[in-house]
Amino acid sequence: MTGIRARVAAAPISWGVSEVPGWGHQMSRQRVLTEIGELGLSATEFGPDGFLPDDPSARSQLLREYGISGIGGFVPVVLHDAAVDPVPMVVRMAEAFAGAGASLLVLAAEYGREGYDGRAALDDAQWRQLFKNLDRASAAADDRGVKAVLHPHMGTAVERSDDVERVLDGSGIRLCLDTGHYFVGGGSPASLAGAAADRIAHVHLKDAEPGLAGKVRQDDLGYAEGVRTGMYVRLGAGAAEIAATVGALESAGYQGWYVIEQDQRLESEPPQRAGPVADVRASLDFLGRLGSAQRDRDLGAGGLGRSAHSGQNTLGGRP
């Protein structure tokens, strides 16, 4: 088993880089990639269209210049509307990702509007269409050597725990568990990790401040405004059950990526060595302490790397 430190990746959204128009100040790719490398991270998700070169070979070459590889990216697409066929976009993105050496396509079931404020309930026919399209998208991506996963996400058709249950029952697609979004939506990330580890193929580690999360959950505060005012915090500083979720996944044998995400909306360019890079560094430190604590427990139980009593794997390791 590979320790989690070797499976930690970055995401440009932690630097405020988003696909949402008007989201906030957008940092340059040069600074973002430089800071990812300085953190000792060797993998990242791609970020929104336009952040990296469109040409797959140019994209992978640019990342290599910073000592980074791309693992995949976030693709919002309409999945519930019978008048919209999502497969051509999925095919195009899967081929581009594969051409850049990536193997993950992180889908979100968007409504077809800008941003992630507000929620609209699907009717039964729309749910059936969504299930059908999820399976079609998954098969199309598989055919191109890319794994499609569904990201339950605030402001999309699949955001709450009961939505996720419907997806698990109605389709065969694998999940991207985003601890922050799932918590803001009212679910327990650790409980989902324990109950559906066999369906979780990708993880976004995101922590959330419970007061602001509750306001967004109750529609007392818009999602974008919640992010602007600091709803997402450094790992371990919020209530999204990061340690328990990672522990449950590792115990179940999860060997996928953990992508550190602390969605931010920036008003201006941060000072050097401050802002997003400091937040991501603190989250990395939290994961390091988590791994050290697990190793100590394993050794105390008489095992080396595995607990003699529970069989739980260590969370540590070096890339």
Side-chain angles (χ1 to χ4, degrees):
M1 297 290 284
T2 305
I4 66 168
R5 183 61 181 85
R7 292 180 281 130
V8 175
I13 188 61
S14 295
W15 280 261
V17 179
S18 172
E19 73 281 358
V20 179
W23 182 256
H25 174 73
Q26 301 292 289
M27 296 176 67
S28 71
R29 71 169 65 143
Q30 291 81 5
R31 179 168 177 185
V32 172
L33 296 178
T34 296
E35 292 186 347
I36 290 173
E38 289 174 348
L39 288 166
L41 293 171
S42 59
T44 185
E45 289 193 3
F46 290 135
D49 285 348
F51 178 66
L52 296 175
D54 290 336
D55 179 73
S57 59
R59 177 177 295 198
S60 59
Q61 175 60 34
L62 175 64
L63 291 177
R64 282 196 299 271
E65 291 172 4
Y66 290 89
I68 301 167
S69 61
I71 62 172
F74 180 72
V75 180
V77 60
V78 174
L79 294 161
H80 67 279
D81 188 343
V84 178
D85 185 358
V87 171
M89 175 184 281
V90 169
V91 168
R92 178 173 62 86
M93 297 303 292
E95 290 177 346
F97 284 11
S103 61
L104 284 162
L105 194 151
V106 183
L107 294 171
E110 71 164 343
Y111 291 119
R113 64 192 184 200
E114 291 184 351
Y116 301 107
D117 289 330
R119 173 174 168 81
L122 302 187
D123 60 29
D124 288 343
Q126 289 172 322
W127 274 111
R128 288 192 296 271
Q129 188 67 40
L130 184 142
F131 299 150
K132 176 182 176 182
N133 281 334
L134 285 173
D135 289 339
R136 293 175 66 228
S138 182
D142 281 346
D143 287 344
R144 288 152 183 87
V146 174
K147 183 183 299 181
V149 293
L150 177 67
H151 182 333
H153 191 294
M154 295 300 293
T156 70
V158 182
E159 69 169 37
R160 308 290 171 122
S161 57
D162 55 342
D163 299 332
V164 175
E165 288 298 324
R166 292 186 75 155
V167 167
L168 291 174
D169 290 341
S171 81
I173 197 165
R174 294 148 292 198
L175 294 181
C176 167
L177 170 57
D178 184 304
T179 53
H181 279 279
Y182 197 69
F183 173 76
V184 175
S188 164
S191 294
L192 181 62
D198 61 327
R199 294 288 294 274
I200 296 171
H202 192 46
V203 176
H204 288 174
L205 288 179
K206 186 190 275 102
D207 214 340
E209 193 282 318
L212 288 170
K215 291 181 179 180
V216 171
R217 186 182 306 128
Q218 299 300 321
D219 295 323
D220 295 329
L221 184 68
Y223 179 79
E225 184 64 11
V227 175
R228 188 191 69 80
T229 53
M231 178 171 68
Y232 294 125
V233 296
R234 297 171 173 184
L235 296 184
E241 306 175 335
I242 303 302
T245 300
V246 171
L249 288 168
E250 293 296 296
S251 293
Y254 176 75
Q255 279 289 288
W257 288 101
Y258 292 105
V259 180
I260 292 179
E261 285 196 339
Q262 185 180 340
D263 297 23
Q264 303 209 36
R265 290 181 67 191
L266 303 177
E267 296 182 359
S268 60
E269 187 77 5
Q272 294 295 318
R273 294 182 294 280
V277 68
D279 289 327
V280 177
R281 181 176 290 109
S283 291
L284 279 168
D285 290 344
F286 172 81
L287 289 177
R289 293 192 298 272
L290 188 63
S292 295
Q294 183 63 47
R295 287 194 298 273
D296 290 345
R297 286 194 295 270
D298 289 345
L299 291 171
L304 182 59
R306 294 181 66 89
S307 166
H309 299 299
S310 68
Q312 186 171 355
N313 292 288
T314 62
L315 304 184
R318 298 183 63 83

